[in-house]
Amino acid sequence: NAVEEHLAHLQRVQIKYAGADADVLLPSHSFCHQIITEEFQEQQTDSSETAATGLLEKIIADQQSSVKEKKKKLKQFQKSYPDIYKKRFPTLESEAVLFPEKPKFRQQLMFFALKKPFQPFQRTRSFRM
């Protein structure tokens, strides 16, 4: 029932009335030309490579992701598309420019700051008394 109504609607839409839309000339049929297999594969490779390169640039330019997330995504990308990754980052230095190293300052641990040496059994003595 619903299929028949849909088909009837499609047929009504395709009916052309004389004089209506006379200024618009649309070709009734259009055909694609056949291409050879090598050309198809070349087009497929080009479009896939373009899309993957766009994805890589989007990962790099993403301001909302943290550095850790970006590194994780780039590592996944490198595993999936090593050739495209190598084109974008030919050397380790080119990748290092993207993530400059921050100087790491480690906080001194608390037991170094204590004036008295650490006494692990200090509390147990108080329980004996």
Side-chain angles (χ1 to χ4, degrees):
N1 189 9
V3 174
E4 292 173 0
E5 290 176 12
H6 183 68
L7 289 174
H9 171 71
L10 290 176
Q11 288 175 348
R12 275 184 260 137
V13 171
Q14 292 179 359
I15 295 173
K16 301 275 184 178
Y17 296 102
D21 296 308
D23 56 336
V24 179
L25 297 175
L26 297 174
S28 58
H29 295 21
S30 63
F31 298 99
C32 300
H33 67 282
Q34 189 172 4
I35 59 173
I36 57 175
T37 307
E38 291 82 16
E39 188 177 351
F40 170 74
Q41 289 173 347
E42 183 180 315
Q43 287 179 2
Q44 184 180 19
T45 305
D46 288 345
S47 62
S48 298
E49 190 173 315
T50 303
T53 304
L55 175 63
L56 178 60
E57 294 301 326
K58 188 175 180 180
I59 292 171
I60 293 169
D62 189 10
Q63 298 292 328
Q64 294 178 350
S65 296
S66 67
V67 173
K68 185 177 179 180
E69 289 176 20
K70 279 187 182 183
K71 285 184 178 181
K72 184 178 177 182
K73 289 178 183 179
L74 286 173
K75 193 61 82 173
Q76 283 180 321
F77 189 91
Q78 185 179 18
K79 287 179 183 178
S80 300
Y81 305 102
D83 297 334
I84 297 171
Y85 189 87
K86 194 72 173 172
K87 284 181 186 177
R88 178 61 170 85
F89 301 110
T91 62
L92 292 175
E93 290 80 23
S94 61
E95 187 176 348
V97 170
L98 187 60
F99 301 111
E101 285 291 323
K102 294 181 180 177
K104 295 180 181 179
F105 297 107
R106 292 190 176 193
Q107 294 179 348
Q108 291 183 350
L109 297 175
M110 287 296 289
F111 62 89
F112 287 130
L114 293 175
K115 295 179 181 177
K116 296 180 181 178
F118 183 66
Q119 298 175 356
F121 299 108
Q122 186 174 5
R123 286 187 177 177
T124 56
R125 285 187 207 156
S126 65
F127 291 125
R128 291 182 187 168
M129 290 185 197

